[in-house]
Amino acid sequence: MASQSHASPGRRRVWRVATPVVVILSGTLFAVSAEQSDGTDLRGGRLTDLGSVVRAERDEAGDLTAQVADLTTEVESLSAELGDRSVARAQDEIATLVDPAGLTEKSGPAVQVTLDDASFDARVAYEGDPNDLVVHQQDIQAVANAMWNAGAVAVTIQGQRVISTTGIKCEGNVVKLNGLSYSPPYVVVGIGDPLRMEAELTTDPILATYRDYTDEPGGGVSWDMTELESATAPAYTGLLDLTWATPIPE
């Protein structure tokens, strides 16, 4: 009896079906691998190139760090240069403002105006308002303003340098100037062109009204205007900061 050297018909049919399936799956895996690798080795090549990638990234990081250092140095240099220019510019501006602000001494030809109240007897005998025969803050301010309008480079009142923040205030029969009280006579000196200042002082309407009360019977307020060959206005040495009232916290 002959031996059974071949598999049964059922098993042969299984292999005929399984073999093509295995071939198809293998081809699919190869295709996927080829697409993912994009033509490069997915294993050995990647491990071999990793060191090169690290070195390349390290070299690039070193180059960028050096570039940052160079740019930082350049920025610091430009900032220092800008700072020097800013300081120099600020110093130049301060230098140009110190003089007109009244912080330097000024000397030169001047005009002096002296204002004084009428005598006590004249005020008692006066039939009008006794306040007409006393010097008020607006009279002193009018003298200073007329001098400024005529181009005065410096003005003093009672020897004090007048600046933009100088306040003149009447308190009773005295005038307070920069916190100090003064009684008449009030002496105002303007340094500048005497002719221009005298012309302005003569035509100022407020001062013209003031002079109307100099000729009152029995004596009125006094007005004396004198040209000085030279006078000196000291530098202002008081406070420069402005202060103001603030509400009390509840």
Side-chain angles (χ1 to χ4, degrees):
M1 181 172 162
S3 63
Q4 298 292 330
S5 60
H6 298 286
S8 64
R11 296 185 63 183
R12 287 197 299 269
R13 284 196 298 271
V14 170
W15 282 107
R16 280 199 299 270
V17 173
T19 299
V21 171
V22 171
V23 172
I24 292 173
L25 289 175
S26 299
T28 302
L29 290 174
F30 292 148
V32 171
S33 297
E35 181 178 356
Q36 294 297 324
S37 66
D38 195 21
T40 61
D41 190 351
L42 290 176
R43 286 179 171 270
R46 182 178 182 183
L47 294 175
T48 302
D49 293 338
L50 183 58
S52 300
V53 171
V54 171
R55 286 192 297 271
E57 294 292 340
R58 185 176 57 206
D59 292 342
E60 184 177 2
D63 293 340
L64 292 175
T65 300
Q67 185 177 358
V68 168
D70 292 340
L71 291 174
T72 301
T73 301
E74 184 177 358
V75 168
E76 291 176 351
S77 176
L78 293 174
S79 299
E81 182 180 351
L82 178 61
D84 292 342
R85 287 201 303 267
S86 299
V87 171
R89 185 166 55 250
Q91 290 175 339
D92 291 341
E93 292 177 357
I94 291 173
T96 59
L97 295 175
V98 164
D99 186 59
L103 304 181
T104 58
E105 183 181 280
K106 300 294 289 186
S107 298
V111 171
Q112 175 179 292
V113 173
T114 303
L115 309 175
D116 201 354
D117 297 342
S119 67
F120 176 77
D121 292 339
R123 281 179 282 164
V124 171
Y126 182 61
E127 296 180 355
D129 186 349
N131 287 321
D132 293 341
L133 300 184
V134 297
V135 179
H136 297 284
Q137 68 182 54
Q138 63 265 26
D139 303 319
I140 303 173
Q141 288 171 336
V143 173
N145 289 337
M147 291 176 172
W148 289 127
N149 290 336
V153 295
V155 174
T156 64
I157 301 175
Q158 304 298 81
Q160 280 204 53
R161 185 69 174 269
V162 177
I163 63 171
S164 60
T165 57
T166 299
I168 304 172
K169 183 180 180 182
C170 273
E171 289 188 356
N173 61 342
V174 299
V175 167
K176 181 167 286 188
L177 179 67
N178 292 328
L180 300 177
S181 297
Y182 297 95
S183 57
Y186 303 110
V187 180
V188 186
V189 177
I191 298 177
D193 185 341
L195 294 179
R196 288 183 60 189
M197 285 190 286
E198 289 173 350
E200 188 71 28
L201 289 163
T202 301
T203 58
D204 183 272
I206 296 177
L207 297 178
T209 301
Y210 173 88
R211 284 192 295 271
D212 288 341
Y213 293 93
T214 60
D215 297 328
E216 290 297 322
V221 292
S222 68
W223 166 271
D224 179 73
M225 182 168 63
T226 304
E227 184 176 326
L228 302 178
E229 183 176 342
S230 180
T232 298
Y236 177 78
T237 57
L239 297 176
L240 294 174
D241 294 336
L242 295 176
T243 58
W244 56 89
T246 56
I248 299 175
E250 296 182 0

